[in-house]
Amino acid sequence: GIQVEQSPPDLILQEGANSTLRCNFSDSVNNLQWFHQNPWGQLINLFYIPSGTKQNGRLSATTVATERYSLLYISSSQTTDSGVYFCAVTGNTPLVFGKGTRLSVIA
Amino acid sequence: DGGITQSPKYLFRKEGQNVTLSCEQNLNHDAMYWYRQDPGQGLRLIYYSQIVNDFQKGDIAEGYSVSREKKESFPLTVTSAQKNPTAFYLCASSIPGQGHQYFGPGTRLTVT
């Protein structure tokens, strides 16, 4: 089945810094989603982005499907951005998740 | 207010007991899913259902059972056969083929 790898596994930032999270996947996909899991465990949809670039406030994402990767950009990070960021992809099966990037933003 | 509800938020059981986790959605989605998350790990698929009265095993279905008698509901039973049932369980729904899944708040199950 499809393999999903996320990097880095852990990231510590000073408030106000920018960061880039990466998601590599092993096969062609129909869909790709980025999620933020908050400290209470809730998974929040950030982007549904099988290809191209999208922006939502301080967050943006780019998926290059032909090269099998996606990037999540966080600019001017805030302490509320802390948590785990997951990438998930689907080909012909339900979503397959990466292990996530744990982000800690320090004031 | 549309969304997915899971109850209870926290659940404690003794080893050897079956326990059923609730998942309800009012998004009118045909497809529903159950995932398990262990500390420091991603989500793994337990079962999914694309339509009422039909469901398929995911990657880690052993020790679990589901039913889909109504479009809105997809309960998960953790049986005594599940060797390591303590985990965080998340339910999701989507429009089949769309791939864009929405998640409930989760249930933390502790079995001692």
Side-chain angles (χ1 to χ4, degrees), chain B residues 54-101:
Chain B
D54 189 38
F55 47 83
Q56 288 79 40
K57 293 182 179 180
D59 300 320
I60 55 165
E62 187 175 346
Y64 299 98
S65 66
V66 293
S67 63
R68 187 85 188 278
E69 296 176 4
K70 298 187 300 182
K71 187 175 184 177
E72 301 80 19
S73 178
F74 191 40
L76 173 74
T77 297
V78 184
T79 75
S80 56
Q82 168 50 233
K83 292 184 176 142
N84 296 297
T86 295
F88 186 48
Y89 291 88
L90 285 150
C91 176
S93 71
S94 75
I95 297 171
Q98 189 186 73
H100 192 170
Q101 290 188 17

Side-chain angles (χ1 to χ4, degrees), chain A residues 31 33 37 41-42 45 48 86, chain B residues 37 98-101 103 105:
Chain A
N31 302 303
Q33 283 185 259
Q37 188 169 39
Q42 176 77 54
N45 287 301
Y48 171 69
F86 288 105
Chain B
Q37 185 179 25
Q98 189 186 73
H100 192 170
Q101 290 188 17
F103 281 81

Side-chain angles (χ1 to χ4, degrees), chain B residues 22-39:
Chain B
S22 167
C23 177
E24 304 277 332
Q25 54 98 2
N26 61 6
L27 299 169
N28 201 32
H29 288 168
D30 285 308
M32 295 186 75
Y33 311 82
W34 273 106
Y35 294 89
R36 169 184 172 134
Q37 185 179 25
D38 293 287

Side-chain angles (χ1 to χ4, degrees), chain A residues 32-89:
Chain A
L32 186 146
Q33 283 185 259
W34 282 98
F35 296 91
H36 175 216
Q37 188 169 39
N38 65 24
W40 297 272
Q42 176 77 54
L43 274 171
I44 300 162
N45 287 301
L46 296 177
F47 294 102
Y48 171 69
I49 185 167
S51 63
T53 297
K54 290 187 178 179
Q55 179 151 8
N56 184 3
R58 295 181 297 103
L59 302 181
S60 64
T62 294
T63 296
V64 183
T66 53
E67 297 187 23
R68 300 182 185 167
Y69 73 89
S70 183
L71 302 174
L72 177 69
Y73 305 96
I74 305 174
S75 64
S76 304
S77 58
Q78 301 175 358
T79 55
T80 51
D81 294 331
S82 295
V84 184
Y85 289 81
F86 288 105
C87 166
V89 303

